Amino acid sequence: MGIPRILRAIPYMETMGSAATLRAILFMGTMGSAPTRPAIQYTAIGRIRGMSKAEPLTVGWIVDAPFGDFAFEAPEAKRKDRGPALSGRAVQACPAVNELEKRLFVVKAPFDIKIGVDKDRENYELFYDEQRTRVDPDVVSRFITFMPQNLWRSPKHPVFQILLPYVFLCDEKCYLTQLPPFLDEYTWPGQMIAGRFEITNWPRILNFAFEFCDLNSCLELRRGQPLCYFMFEGDNPERSVRLVRAKQTEEVRQFRKGIDGMPKFTSNTFSVMDEAARRRPRNLVIAIEDGDEV
């Protein structure tokens, strides 16, 4: 009688967390014998003991505004504004919280503005309150766009965008996720539209897109308040992120020229990612100052 081949579910510790999980492994032996597994020791965050720490993922940022670049502050690591822990078991001591927050970078509002939507029957009109807005009218027209109704998520929820002229670059596989500032206090009459895309082959300029849900209230932003978060992910989730101000070289300009305006040609810009990858220069990130590593 041959030795039975049994799939036995045994608990093991995930390499990137502390929660026990079940994994089926092929078991060779008699019914009464125990499976033999290599003795692997993991550190507190799941790295195999003795394995060297991975180098940080370098992400470059540039600002490319029509004018007024200095109004757009450098992105900051979210962890910088955390208060001291009240004890060794406070929120700031939680590994799961730290693993998330160390990956978040904050972009702040570039100007003061109070903006709302008027509805007249089936027509919608975007307006701003001059008394609560400190920015010239020509800036409003250059940086704020009221989206056509057929581009909204819902016919009852108007959408507008504020140009955020940040461009993020990375010479390795890297995804950017844009999120609302959920760790900061804010009261908005709607929601920021979040998104995620690969920046390696698609270093596009960004926007803050907002969807109104309460037309009886206005969105009021003050210069310097957190506007949104950016999170960066590479192939290895253990790697930290080093954010550096990058030089806008001629190669960067020419590569980005191929990206600009692509939504006018296709509604699915991801469909031309392969072409962008073929034309991409080998190196785009040239740092011009020390980075902010988290």
Side-chain angles (χ1 to χ4, degrees):
M1 180 176 179
I3 298 174
R5 296 166 60 90
I6 301 172
L7 283 178
R8 175 174 295 175
I10 66 170
Y12 84 111
M13 301 303 290
E14 285 280 9
T15 59
M16 281 306 297
S18 58
T21 311
L22 289 178
R23 180 175 64 174
I25 65 169
L26 186 64
F27 171 57
M28 294 292 294
T30 64
M31 293 295 292
S33 64
T36 301
R37 306 189 67 224
I40 300 177
Q41 293 185 325
Y42 294 99
T43 63
I45 63 170
R47 187 182 302 112
I48 297 175
R49 194 174 300 280
M51 181 182 292
S52 60
K53 183 180 178 181
E55 290 294 319
L57 180 68
T58 299
V59 177
W61 66 272
I62 60 176
V63 170
D64 188 17
F67 50 83
D69 282 13
F70 296 164
F72 299 89
E73 299 182 18
E76 289 185 351
K78 176 58 185 169
R79 293 185 68 181
K80 283 189 172 182
D81 67 4
R82 299 204 312 181
L86 300 179
S87 71
R89 300 181 63 186
V91 172
Q92 297 95 319
C94 175
V97 171
N98 291 331
E99 279 296 302
L100 172 65
E101 293 187 5
K102 78 178 185 178
R103 303 173 192 280
L104 298 176
F105 292 86
V106 184
V107 164
K108 298 177 180 179
F111 43 68
D112 297 345
I113 192 167
K114 183 176 181 180
I115 194 165
V117 175
D118 272 337
K119 180 183 179 183
D120 181 14
R121 296 182 183 178
E122 298 303 317
N123 297 318
Y124 295 83
E125 185 178 25
L126 193 71
F127 69 90
Y128 66 96
D129 184 343
E130 292 183 328
Q131 298 300 317
R132 297 290 296 166
T133 297
R134 177 54 196 99
V135 64
D136 290 352
D138 64 316
V139 175
V140 174
S141 62
R142 291 290 295 273
F143 283 86
I144 295 180
T145 303
F146 192 33
M147 305 304 293
Q149 191 171 12
N150 65 328
L151 301 183
W152 303 352
R153 194 198 310 263
S154 163
K156 296 182 179 180
H157 294 161
V159 175
F160 80 94
Q161 296 188 26
I162 299 177
L163 174 65
L164 291 181
Y166 294 91
V167 177
F168 292 96
L169 310 167
C170 188
D171 289 330
E172 302 180 58
K173 190 76 168 181
C174 181
Y175 285 84
L176 174 152
T177 302
Q178 185 177 4
L179 298 164
F182 55 87
L183 294 176
D184 290 277
E185 296 182 6
Y186 67 96
T187 302
W188 291 348
Q191 58 190 3
M192 191 207 88
I193 300 175
R196 179 179 184 269
F197 66 98
E198 181 197 336
I199 62 172
T200 311
N201 299 315
W202 205 254
R204 54 157 291 185
I205 206 159
L206 298 168
N207 292 285
F208 170 85
F210 187 81
E211 184 176 37
F212 271 97
C213 298
D214 178 9
L215 301 185
N216 295 317
S217 301
C218 292
L219 173 67
E220 187 162 5
L221 302 173
R222 299 291 98 188
R223 174 171 165 77
Q225 80 174 76
L227 187 63
C228 60
Y229 300 155
F230 290 114
M231 182 168 67
F232 303 94
E233 305 166 89
D235 285 339
N236 182 350
E238 281 195 23
R239 295 178 71 181
S240 60
V241 175
R242 177 174 174 258
L243 197 65
V244 299
R245 188 160 68 94
K247 183 180 298 184
Q248 183 158 216
T249 63
E250 187 59 30
E251 280 192 319
V252 171
R253 289 191 183 93
Q254 289 301 317
F255 185 58
R256 288 187 51 228
K257 181 181 176 183
I259 295 171
D260 292 344
M262 278 307 304
K264 298 179 184 295
F265 293 86
T266 175
S267 58
N268 181 15
T269 54
F270 284 15
S271 65
V272 295
M273 284 283 191
D274 290 343
E275 184 63 28
R278 283 190 289 269
R279 302 193 190 189
R280 186 192 192 279
R282 183 180 180 88
N283 296 308
L284 291 177
V285 182
I286 299 179
I288 54 179
E289 65 177 20
D290 290 337
D292 190 2
E293 181 183 338
V294 297

